[in-house]
Amino acid sequence: MGGTSRVNTQRAIRATTAAPTFFTPVLHEGGNYCDGALVANNPTAIALQEAKVLYPGVPVELVVSIGTGAYNGPVGGYWWDVLLSQIVATSVDTEEVHKLLYDFLSPDQYYRLNPVLPGEFHSTVF
Protein backbone atom coordinates (compact mmCIF):
# COMPACT_ATOMS: atom_id res chain seq x y z
CA MET A 1 0.00 0.00 0.00
CA GLY A 2 1.52 3.28 -1.06
CA GLY A 3 1.03 6.77 0.24
CA THR A 4 0.34 9.96 -1.61
CA SER A 5 2.29 13.06 -2.42
CA ARG A 6 -0.90 15.03 -3.14
CA VAL A 7 -1.26 16.89 0.15
CA ASN A 8 -0.21 20.44 0.96
CA THR A 9 2.55 21.09 3.47
CA GLN A 10 0.32 22.69 6.10
CA ARG A 11 -2.05 19.70 6.13
CA ALA A 12 0.85 17.23 6.26
CA ILE A 13 2.44 19.04 9.21
CA ARG A 14 -0.90 19.23 11.02
CA ALA A 15 -1.49 15.50 10.49
CA THR A 16 1.98 14.42 11.58
CA THR A 17 1.81 16.51 14.74
CA ALA A 18 -1.67 15.36 15.79
CA ALA A 19 -0.58 13.48 18.90
CA PRO A 20 -3.26 10.94 19.84
CA THR A 21 -5.34 11.89 22.89
CA PHE A 22 -4.21 15.53 22.55
CA PHE A 23 -5.28 16.51 19.01
CA THR A 24 -7.96 15.39 16.60
CA PRO A 25 -6.66 13.28 13.68
CA VAL A 26 -6.72 14.88 10.23
CA LEU A 27 -9.19 13.41 7.76
CA HIS A 28 -7.73 13.18 4.26
CA GLU A 29 -9.20 11.22 1.36
CA GLY A 30 -11.18 8.96 3.68
CA GLY A 31 -8.30 8.19 6.06
CA ASN A 32 -7.47 9.51 9.53
CA TYR A 33 -3.89 10.67 9.96
CA CYS A 34 -2.07 11.48 13.19
CA ASP A 35 1.31 11.48 14.88
CA GLY A 36 3.14 8.14 14.82
CA ALA A 37 3.48 8.13 18.61
CA LEU A 38 4.47 4.69 19.87
CA VAL A 39 4.48 2.99 16.47
CA ALA A 40 6.81 5.33 14.58
CA ASN A 41 8.04 8.08 16.85
CA ASN A 42 10.79 8.79 14.33
CA PRO A 43 9.15 8.11 10.96
CA THR A 44 12.21 8.91 8.83
CA ALA A 45 12.76 5.31 7.69
CA ILE A 46 9.06 4.99 6.81
CA ALA A 47 9.27 8.23 4.80
CA LEU A 48 12.22 6.82 2.84
CA GLN A 49 10.28 3.63 2.12
CA GLU A 50 7.27 5.63 0.92
CA ALA A 51 9.51 7.79 -1.28
CA LYS A 52 10.83 4.61 -2.88
CA VAL A 53 7.25 3.45 -3.59
CA LEU A 54 6.06 6.82 -4.89
CA TYR A 55 9.18 7.56 -6.95
CA PRO A 56 10.75 4.23 -7.99
CA GLY A 57 14.24 4.55 -9.40
CA VAL A 58 14.69 8.14 -8.18
CA PRO A 59 17.66 8.42 -5.82
CA VAL A 60 17.26 10.18 -2.48
CA GLU A 61 19.38 13.32 -2.50
CA LEU A 62 18.82 14.67 1.00
CA VAL A 63 17.11 13.59 4.23
CA VAL A 64 16.60 16.03 7.10
CA SER A 65 15.27 14.47 10.29
CA ILE A 66 13.99 16.95 12.90
CA GLY A 67 13.65 15.67 16.45
CA THR A 68 12.02 17.13 19.53
CA GLY A 69 15.12 16.84 21.70
CA ALA A 70 17.09 14.01 23.26
CA TYR A 71 16.94 13.57 27.00
CA ASN A 72 19.60 11.57 28.80
CA GLY A 73 17.99 11.67 32.22
CA PRO A 74 19.21 9.92 35.33
CA VAL A 75 18.63 6.20 35.75
CA GLY A 76 18.32 4.84 39.22
CA GLY A 77 15.95 4.20 42.08
CA TYR A 78 13.89 1.12 42.76
CA TRP A 79 14.01 -1.69 40.20
CA TRP A 80 10.41 -1.10 39.09
CA ASP A 81 11.18 2.59 38.48
CA VAL A 82 14.12 1.61 36.31
CA LEU A 83 12.06 -1.03 34.49
CA LEU A 84 9.17 1.36 33.87
CA SER A 85 11.59 4.07 32.68
CA GLN A 86 13.18 1.61 30.25
CA ILE A 87 9.81 0.51 28.86
CA VAL A 88 8.73 4.11 28.31
CA ALA A 89 12.12 5.10 26.89
CA THR A 90 12.07 2.19 24.43
CA SER A 91 8.55 2.92 23.26
CA VAL A 92 9.22 6.59 22.55
CA ASP A 93 12.82 6.24 21.35
CA THR A 94 13.72 8.16 18.22
CA GLU A 95 17.46 7.65 18.22
CA GLU A 96 17.57 4.01 17.08
CA VAL A 97 16.13 4.97 13.68
CA HIS A 98 18.64 7.83 13.58
CA LYS A 99 21.55 5.47 14.27
CA LEU A 100 20.36 3.09 11.56
CA LEU A 101 20.02 5.82 8.92
CA TYR A 102 23.31 7.42 9.98
CA ASP A 103 25.02 4.10 9.22
CA PHE A 104 23.25 3.58 5.86
CA LEU A 105 23.22 7.06 4.35
CA SER A 106 26.25 9.22 3.56
CA PRO A 107 27.05 12.24 5.78
CA ASP A 108 26.27 14.69 2.96
CA GLN A 109 22.90 12.99 2.39
CA TYR A 110 21.51 12.68 5.94
CA TYR A 111 21.17 15.30 8.68
CA ARG A 112 19.53 14.92 12.09
CA LEU A 113 18.61 18.00 14.10
CA ASN A 114 17.85 16.91 17.65
CA PRO A 115 19.26 19.02 20.50
CA VAL A 116 20.24 17.40 23.78
CA LEU A 117 17.87 18.71 26.45
CA PRO A 118 19.13 19.94 29.83
CA GLY A 119 19.20 17.55 32.78
CA GLU A 120 15.98 18.95 34.17
CA PHE A 121 13.12 20.24 32.10
CA HIS A 122 9.39 20.57 32.49
CA SER A 123 6.83 20.23 29.77
CA THR A 124 3.37 21.68 29.78
CA VAL A 125 0.47 20.36 27.75
CA PHE A 126 -1.95 23.09 26.72
Side-chain angles (χ1 to χ4, degrees), residues 8-116:
N8 70 39
T9 304
Q10 179 183 0
R11 193 165 185 85
I13 290 171
R14 170 63 180 86
T16 59
T17 59
T21 73
F22 294 110
F23 302 108
T24 305
V26 172
L27 181 63
H28 181 74
E29 295 182 355
N32 281 319
Y33 294 88
C34 62
D35 172 76
L38 301 178
V39 176
N41 219 13
N42 179 347
T44 310
I46 294 170
L48 285 170
Q49 189 275 332
E50 284 198 11
K52 184 178 178 180
V53 170
L54 289 169
Y55 308 103
V58 177
V60 172
E61 294 179 18
L62 178 67
V63 176
V64 178
S65 175
I66 302 173
T68 58
Y71 175 64
N72 300 320
V75 175
Y78 295 108
W79 70 269
W80 56 83
D81 291 334
V82 174
L83 178 62
L84 182 60
S85 294
Q86 283 299 103
I87 291 169
V88 170
T90 301
S91 67
V92 297
D93 179 62
T94 61
E95 293 304 298
E96 288 306 312
V97 171
H98 160 65
K99 291 174 189 173
L100 177 76
L101 294 176
Y102 184 81
D103 286 344
F104 278 100
L105 300 172
S106 66
D108 63 335
Q109 185 182 27
Y110 173 73
Y111 297 91
R112 171 88 170 144
L113 308 173
N114 196 34
V116 175

